[in-house]
Amino acid sequence: MTANPVLAHTLRGNWIENRHRGAICVSDAEGNILASIGDVAADVFPRSAIKSMQALPIFATGANVRYGLAGPAIALSCASHNGEPAHAELAASMLAAIDLDETALECGAHPPIDPAARKALFAQGGKPSTLHNACSGKHSGMLAVARALGEDTKGYSTRMHPVQQRVRQAVEEVLDYPLTESRCGTDGCSIPTWAAPIHAIARGFARMASGTGLSEQTAAAAREIFAAATSHAFLVGGTGTFDSEAMAAFDGRLMLKFGADGIYCGALVDSGIGFALKCDDGSVPAATAMAAALLLEIASPTPEQTKILQTRARQDQRNWAGHEVGYIEATEAARLKL
Amino acid sequence: MTANPVLAHTLRGNWIENRHRGAICVSDAEGNILASIGDVAADVFPRSAIKSMQALPIFATGANVRYGLAGPAIALSCASHNGEPAHAELAASMLAAIDLDETALECGAHPPIDPAARKALFAQGGKPSTLHNACSGKHSGMLAVARALGEDTKGYSTRMHPVQQRVRQAVEEVLDYPLTESRCGTDGCSIPTWAAPIHAIARGFARMASGTGLSEQTAAAAREIFAAATSHAFLVGGTGTFDSEAMAAFDGRLMLKFGADGIYCGALVDSGIGFALKCDDGSVPAATAMAAALLLEIASPTPEQTKILQTRARQDQRNWAGHEVGYIEATEAARLKL
């Protein structure tokens, strides 16, 4: 196996300390690869980066209408959020709409990722709950699907449950690629994750953005999901997150979502172009630098958008005493041109 | 540049998710490479993995005798510790012996790494101090060197201070390799770190273990440092750390120390063999798996030692809900044979 190229590295002082390899694909909805580097035929776990695809059954089952899941709830279904009050409260209200509470969530509990939210929670003597889990919105949406299907809500996160079967079928329709038990794992939030080629994931985001190749119903749902995520960008991540900041700055033109272990996916919504990347070693900061460098080239950013992307394409690193010790940055190789 | 081989990977479900490349060198004190894989001529930052070398000036300046720094204090000088009470209290007593306190430490403050110690500190309304910093022992030792030299203690962590000049010279003597301003950075605890070839670091550990090629005084100090670190293994890391567990289990036969950003170094003390490895992408869990796999081959472990090494050569990974989702493990390529 040929090694993927180095797409990001960290500098300490004046010497390169770490190297991060990876692959990036930019595709249109027909599957034409507009730009790529590295092995984009490799099957990778897209993890949380495809939550927007996993949200499609909310529309296909009519759960959105039935339970009044408006734009913010749909955005939260696509989120890996910080567990800030707005996130946790919205997840709670989504559950309340289906007569459930946080005990129904099978994602596990962890403290809010946002430091201020975490501090406030502990200062009030509060305990981390499943609502603070970064995936609580996605799980609440999946519970709404279970309700709409009239299925048992218990076990909704397991591979054979009708909810996960619907999610799998929705992702397969968008990717136009069969997912298989021979390349499957369990995600951090306990739902199944299925590996797919990087180029198929990039094409899938282009199909979501353009509707090309999707059924009319799926295309309409994809449009609503991207509109919800991009117009409620804060709910998709939260304070200080790249996804929220970039989507807010691009004002509907950019769908962007990271996934654990070095995944980044998204679409230039107006031009119907999708992209996907994987950092080989799973580093999220490195993948973030790669994504930002890519967007600097392909997203035609305004000066303001450029500034936001640049702070992620090269991220300063400080030590415990607060001294700047170096930075992580995308290499030239990550700056794919269309 | 040819890519280093994959020496560790993570599996999620039944599919490889992340790949970690790196280089490993095993050397004797004469610099004969006994086994290696990857580019071991590459200059890397050894970071905290060479604290045992950085402790040499404590002996060269007589600070150990003058300030009564016995085995435990020497072990803590070699430590990246968990900030447990035993660590923080010993650092405080080292400082008291030179009429200083934690305000003299320039390593920065952070909460104890050990979860129980962190919880206990916050439960008592305590605040993270510089004593909890993983490097507080090394810094206390460096302050003792400053005192012994009659130098200003303020600024002892900066590159041009006589303490850091002595540290640099000591490391150069052991590595038999000139350190240079053109490959230098600032470490997480604010002292300078200098890049050196992986094979020179491996040879340096062999020289520390055997005394070969070192002045009589340095050889004696190296022997005392390794004896202190291996016989007070808990102080070098702490609860649940690989370094402490492995050194305790090998009962003086093994010197082992990780460094930030994927470094592992050490020596088979009885046979005078040194080793050093770097994970290209800086992952500490991956480097740990590589080190454990290497030691399974070259350290002639007993069944009990084998068990400890195996739990690190393949580390199970669980998600927030507590389900086992996969593992990180060293590849066959990391299992170098002598």
Side-chain angles (χ1 to χ4, degrees), chain A residues 19 70 73 79 85 95 105 118 146 161-162 171 220 261 272 278 285 290 327:
Chain A
R19 290 174 174 81
L95 291 167
L105 294 172
R118 195 166 57 236
H161 191 282
V171 174
D261 287 86
K278 162 76 178 167
M290 295 173 197
Y327 50 82

Side-chain angles (χ1 to χ4, degrees), chain B residues 162-176:
Chain B
V163 166
Q164 296 307 327
Q165 292 296 316
R166 294 291 290 244
V167 169
R168 176 180 174 169
Q169 286 156 17
V171 173
E172 284 179 321
E173 182 194 346
V174 173
L175 297 185
D176 193 20

Side-chain angles (χ1 to χ4, degrees), chain B residues 15 20 23 36 49 101 103 115 117 121 140 145 162 167 169 172 177 189 196 256 288-289 297 301 306 318-319:
Chain B
W15 195 246
H20 302 277
S36 81
D101 62 23
T103 59
L121 177 73
S140 298
V145 170
V167 169
Q169 286 156 17
E172 284 179 321
Y177 186 83
C189 66
L256 183 66
T288 304
E297 298 298 328
T306 296
R318 293 180 177 276
N319 69 9

Side-chain angles (χ1 to χ4, degrees), chain A residues 131-333:
Chain A
L131 294 172
H132 300 115
N133 185 302
C135 302
S136 66
K138 177 182 71 179
H139 278 250
S140 298
M142 287 176 170
L143 280 164
V145 170
R147 280 283 203 238
L149 290 171
E151 296 286 346
D152 197 352
T153 55
K154 201 171 155 60
Y156 72 90
S157 66
T158 59
R159 203 174 296 185
M160 297 315 294
H161 191 282
V163 167
Q164 296 306 328
Q165 292 295 317
R166 294 291 288 247
V167 169
R168 175 180 177 170
Q169 286 156 17
V171 174
E172 283 180 322
E173 182 194 346
V174 173
L175 297 186
D176 193 21
Y177 186 83
L179 303 177
T180 161
E181 295 284 339
S182 64
R183 290 189 292 274
C184 183
T186 301
D187 212 325
C189 66
S190 295
I191 71 160
T193 181
W194 313 82
I198 297 171
H199 66 65
I201 301 170
R203 181 183 59 195
F205 272 87
R207 285 157 65 98
M208 290 279 284
S210 63
T212 307
L214 303 180
S215 72
E216 208 171 306
Q217 193 197 28
T218 303
R223 203 161 41 238
E224 284 204 53
I225 290 169
F226 277 14
T230 57
S231 57
H232 303 282
F234 177 82
L235 294 172
V236 180
T239 303
T241 65
F242 179 43
D243 296 0
S244 293
E245 283 183 7
M247 285 199 286
F250 275 86
D251 202 19
R253 278 188 57 228
L254 173 69
M255 175 69 202
L256 183 66
K257 184 69 187 65
F258 89 100
D261 287 86
I263 292 282
Y264 249 101
C265 297
L268 304 177
V269 180
D270 48 356
S271 49
I273 289 173
F275 56 88
L277 70 84
K278 162 76 178 167
C279 172
D280 288 356
D281 59 67
S283 166
V284 173
T288 304
M290 295 173 197
L294 175 71
L295 291 172
L296 279 167
E297 298 298 328
I298 69 168
S300 314
T302 63
E304 189 209 347
Q305 293 159 354
T306 297
K307 218 169 144 185
I308 287 169
L309 296 176
Q310 281 174 337
T311 61
R312 306 289 178 162
R314 173 174 160 170
Q315 305 155 39
D316 290 339
Q317 301 193 312
R318 292 179 178 276
N319 70 9
W320 287 113
H323 303 132
E324 205 174 302
V325 294
Y327 50 82
I328 181 167
E329 68 173 353
T331 62
E332 277 303 306

Side-chain angles (χ1 to χ4, degrees), chain B:
Chain B
M1 192 181 67
T2 316
N4 280 328
V6 174
L7 299 182
H9 56 219
T10 64
L11 201 90
R12 179 172 296 272
N14 53 20
W15 195 246
I16 292 176
E17 182 162 39
N18 304 315
R19 289 174 175 83
H20 302 277
R21 296 172 184 273
I24 307 177
C25 187
V26 184
S27 175
D28 67 18
E30 283 77 27
N32 298 305
I33 293 178
L34 307 178
S36 81
I37 190 164
D39 179 13
V40 297
D43 288 275
V44 302
F45 287 125
R47 307 288 299 275
S48 286
I50 58 160
K51 278 175 175 166
S52 54
M53 298 179 189
Q54 294 170 325
L56 285 166
I58 296 173
F59 291 82
T61 59
N64 58 320
V65 176
R66 192 151 162 189
Y67 306 117
L69 302 177
I74 299 304
L76 199 71
S77 298
C78 302
S80 295
H81 64 71
N82 272 344
E84 296 174 73
H87 303 116
E89 286 161 18
L90 180 52
S93 79
M94 289 169 71
L95 292 167
I98 49 173
D99 294 321
L100 292 173
D101 62 23
E102 72 270 18
T103 59
L105 294 171
E106 297 177 358
C107 49
H110 65 69
I113 293 168
D114 178 64
R118 194 166 58 235
K119 208 173 158 184
L121 177 73
F122 291 128
Q124 294 157 12
K127 278 196 177 170
S129 90
T130 52
L131 295 172
H132 300 116
N133 185 302
C135 302
S136 66
K138 177 182 71 178
H139 279 250
S140 298
M142 287 176 170
L143 279 164
V145 170
R147 279 282 203 240
L149 291 171
E151 297 286 347
D152 197 353
T153 55
K154 203 170 152 63
Y156 73 89
S157 67
T158 59
R159 204 173 295 184
M160 296 315 292
H161 191 282
V163 166
Q164 296 307 327
Q165 292 296 316
R166 294 291 290 244
V167 169
R168 176 180 174 169
Q169 286 156 17
V171 173
E172 284 179 321
E173 182 194 346
V174 173
L175 297 185
D176 193 20
Y177 186 83
L179 303 177
T180 161
E181 296 284 340
S182 65
R183 292 190 290 274
C184 183
T186 302
D187 212 325
C189 66
S190 295
I191 72 160
T193 181
W194 313 82
I198 296 171
H199 66 65
I201 301 170
R203 181 184 59 193
F205 271 89
R207 285 158 65 97
M208 290 278 284
S210 63
T212 306
L214 304 180
S215 72
E216 209 172 303
Q217 193 196 29
T218 303
R223 203 162 40 238
E224 282 204 54
I225 291 168
F226 276 14
T230 58
S231 57
H232 303 283
F234 177 82
L235 293 172
V236 179
T239 304
T241 65
F242 180 41
D243 296 0
S244 294
E245 282 183 7
M247 285 198 286
F250 275 86
D251 202 18
R253 280 188 56 228
L254 174 69
M255 175 69 203
L256 183 66
K257 185 68 186 67
F258 88 101
D261 288 86
I263 292 282
Y264 248 101
C265 296
L268 305 177
V269 180
D270 49 357
S271 49
I273 290 173
F275 55 89
L277 69 83
K278 163 74 178 167
C279 172
D280 289 356
D281 59 68
S283 165
V284 173
T288 304
M290 295 174 197
L294 175 71
L295 291 172
L296 280 167
E297 298 298 328
I298 69 168
S300 312
T302 63
E304 189 209 347
Q305 293 159 354
T306 296
K307 218 170 146 185
I308 287 169
L309 296 175
Q310 281 174 337
T311 61
R312 307 290 177 160
R314 174 175 160 170
Q315 304 155 40
D316 290 338
Q317 301 193 313
R318 293 180 177 276
N319 69 9
W320 287 112
H323 303 133
E324 203 174 302
V325 294
Y327 51 82
I328 181 167
E329 68 173 353
T331 62
E332 276 304 305
R335 295 177 175 264
L336 301 187
K337 315 267 187 293
L338 286 183

